Amino acid sequence: EAQVTQNPRYLITVTGKKLTVTCSQNMNHEYMSWYRQDPGLGLRQIYYSMNVEVTDKGDVPEGYKVSRKEKRNFPLILESPSPNQTSLYFCASSLNMAGVGGDTQYFGPGTRLTVL
Amino acid sequence: RKEVEQDPGPFNVPEGATVAFNCTYSNSASQSFFWYRQDCRKEPKLLMSVYSSGNEDGRFTAQLNRASQYISLLIRDSKLSDSATYLCVVNGKAGTALIFGKGTTLSVSS
């Protein structure tokens, strides 16, 4: 089954404790992206990757890191989480650059992160 | 002007009603337009792309007006299962990012 998976689905942590949210897709997609969704603010892009070893900042990259060492994986790293990073996080992938040629973005199921 | 703006909602309609959502976008260079559907606390899923000539998929009709930078979604004969948040989505700079509207919530009641 074609899908984007994220782990963990739910995480409660404390300020400053490094964490990684994994994202994997099995569709051989070039493009991957991380979003966060907050009430009243909608979905905002954190980082994206157009291919292996190619990553770039989205609209809200502060406090986050990513890597793309393999095509299928795109982990999101919070080196020192803070309470303002409490949010619902989505990973997404698409065959080509987001939206080009009507290309569909497929989203993972989301990771609900709480930073105390 | 915000990049993608949608009707604030929520829309509360009875089953069988016709409901329309509107969306405006600020980047005149945008080339790709979509409507995504998001159920409560779940991931967004593509509902339909929006083409220049307008397009229809069953009970759903999408329209694009490039001159006014305006997108619409019409849902006919609303079903209980249509209850969700509908996100207007437009591609951003150089096609590298999708810009999401904040969404409009639809609640269909029996």
Side-chain angles (χ1 to χ4, degrees):
Chain A
E1 180 189 355
Q3 60 183 354
V4 180
T5 57
Q6 293 178 230
N7 281 292
R9 294 288 313 281
Y10 303 90
L11 178 60
I12 300 174
T13 189
V14 295
T15 298
K17 187 176 181 182
K18 181 180 178 179
L19 66 92
T20 299
V21 184
T22 64
C23 172
S24 183
Q25 50 92 5
N26 63 359
M27 296 170 278
N28 202 36
H29 283 169
E30 303 273 336
Y31 184 97
M32 297 186 75
S33 182
W34 275 102
Y35 298 89
R36 61 178 288 175
Q37 187 172 35
D38 303 288
L41 297 177
L43 274 158
R44 294 178 294 168
Q45 190 179 52
I46 303 170
Y47 268 94
Y48 64 91
S49 169
M50 293 172 67
N51 212 326
V52 175
E53 301 292 2
V54 180
T55 63
D56 209 345
K57 296 177 181 179
D59 295 320
V60 289
E62 294 77 22
Y64 304 94
K65 286 175 58 177
V66 293
S67 68
R68 187 95 182 270
K69 297 189 188 321
E70 306 165 281
K71 198 171 190 179
R72 63 183 292 126
N73 296 323
F74 190 45
L76 178 70
I77 303 156
L78 284 72
E79 294 270 3
S80 183
S82 62
N84 65 11
Q85 293 178 297
T86 293
S87 188
L88 177 58
Y89 291 86
F90 289 105
C91 180
S93 74
S94 58
L95 189 59
N96 296 303
M97 288 190 295
V100 171
D103 196 23
T104 303
Q105 276 219 319
Y106 295 88
F107 284 81
T111 295
R112 189 165 292 278
L113 172 65
T114 301
V115 183
L116 302 174
Chain B
R1 184 179 181 182
K2 294 178 183 172
E3 292 194 79
V4 178
E5 285 196 82
Q6 297 186 235
D7 282 352
F11 286 66
N12 298 301
V13 303
E15 276 186 291
T18 296
V19 61
F21 303 141
N22 303 318
C23 169
T24 56
Y25 60 95
S26 61
N27 184 358
S28 60
S30 294
Q31 294 295 319
S32 302
F33 311 91
F34 311 90
W35 284 101
Y36 275 71
R37 169 191 169 131
Q38 185 174 25
D39 293 297
C40 187
R41 297 174 178 262
K42 295 198 171 178
E43 72 273 25
K45 293 183 179 179
L46 180 68
L47 177 67
M48 57 197 304
S49 300
V50 186
Y51 303 119
S52 295
S53 55
N55 47 300
E56 189 174 306
D57 183 2
R59 298 181 293 108
F60 299 84
T61 301
Q63 298 278 351
L64 169 64
N65 183 321
R66 286 186 185 273
S68 300
Q69 295 178 210
Y70 172 97
I71 305 162
S72 66
L73 176 68
L74 182 76
I75 305 176
R76 291 182 300 278
D77 189 23
S78 298
K79 311 290 185 191
L80 294 174
S81 57
D82 294 333
S83 297
T85 297
Y86 292 83
L87 306 172
C88 176
V89 186
V90 176
N91 75 304
K93 56 181 181 178
T96 58
L98 290 178
I99 309 299
F100 287 77
K102 294 180 183 179
T104 301
T105 299
L106 172 66
S107 177
V108 181
S109 56
S110 57

